[in-house]
Amino acid sequence: MGKKKFQSTEPYISKKSQHYPAPRSARRLAAALLCILAALLVTLIVTALSGSMSREMTDKEAIAKLDDYREGNMVNLNAYLADRKFEATGGAGEYVYRCGDKIVSIQNYDDYVRIGNGKGTSRQYGLSSLNDAYVCRVAYLDDTNQDVLLCDLNLSDEALAEIVRWSCR
């Protein structure tokens, strides 16, 4: 009993295919165009992400974040910062809020205030006019019994916007 080379009951499947490939130059051009398109797409995504992350909030955008905490020209800045998990830790005249390693420092000098991050970077703001001023409620710790006390400060819109930007960074 030997093995038959041809068995009529099994179908014959041809190993040849009807494949007509593109010319070699067209395949190379298509591969090069796909690489260029992929590089452009990656560049656009990186540019969009870096542009949105490095863009600084404008004063109007920062003040708009305080709309829920405003009543006319009165802003409850303490409530805004407390909702963002900041705690009042400074004394009277130096209103310092901390949240982890973030710090928002407000130093009141009556005719101007200094807003900073507690790490050496600060800016000074004065009150330019009453139209641009807000009465802001801030908190500080009492020196004797460590109670949190509230007081009101007059801050310009630029200073208030800077506080919002420091709290968001």
Side-chain angles (χ1 to χ4, degrees):
M1 291 205 131
K3 185 175 178 183
K4 294 183 181 179
K5 288 190 173 192
F6 180 73
Q7 295 177 355
S8 61
T9 58
E10 293 181 10
Y12 175 72
I13 299 173
S14 174
K15 295 191 181 192
K16 292 183 179 178
S17 63
Q18 299 288 334
H19 188 292
Y20 301 104
R24 190 174 296 174
S25 62
R27 285 185 287 177
R28 286 183 185 156
L29 180 63
L33 287 175
L34 280 175
C35 289
I36 291 170
L37 185 63
L40 285 173
L41 184 63
V42 167
T43 303
L44 285 174
I45 290 172
V46 167
T47 303
L49 288 177
S50 66
S52 67
M53 295 177 82
S54 66
R55 190 180 74 79
E56 190 75 24
M57 243 189 293
T58 65
D59 288 352
K60 287 183 181 180
E61 291 172 339
I63 299 286
K65 288 189 172 247
L66 297 170
D67 283 343
D68 293 338
Y69 303 94
R70 285 179 58 182
E71 294 177 15
N73 277 350
M74 173 68 178
V75 177
N76 193 344
L77 191 58
N78 183 54
Y80 170 75
L81 291 171
D83 286 348
R84 295 190 55 82
K85 308 291 189 251
F86 280 84
E87 295 179 5
T89 59
E94 293 183 6
Y95 310 100
V96 179
Y97 288 87
R98 292 178 188 267
C99 175
D101 63 339
K102 289 183 179 180
I103 297 173
V104 176
S105 170
I106 308 165
Q107 296 175 338
N108 184 21
Y109 297 107
D110 292 330
D111 53 344
Y112 68 94
V113 292
R114 184 171 290 166
I115 309 297
N117 66 350
K119 298 174 185 172
T121 305
S122 65
R123 294 193 176 119
Q124 189 169 302
Y125 298 95
L127 291 175
S128 57
S129 68
L130 293 178
N131 293 343
D132 296 330
Y134 292 92
V135 177
C136 299
R137 176 139 310 146
V138 292
Y140 65 93
L141 291 177
D142 187 22
D143 292 335
T144 57
N145 53 6
Q146 297 298 315
D147 287 336
V148 176
L149 302 175
L150 298 173
C151 71
D152 294 335
L153 289 178
N154 289 325
L155 296 176
S156 65
D157 57 347
E158 295 94 5
L160 191 57
E162 187 68 18
I163 292 169
V164 172
R165 282 191 286 264
W166 280 121
S167 70
C168 291
R169 288 183 186 149

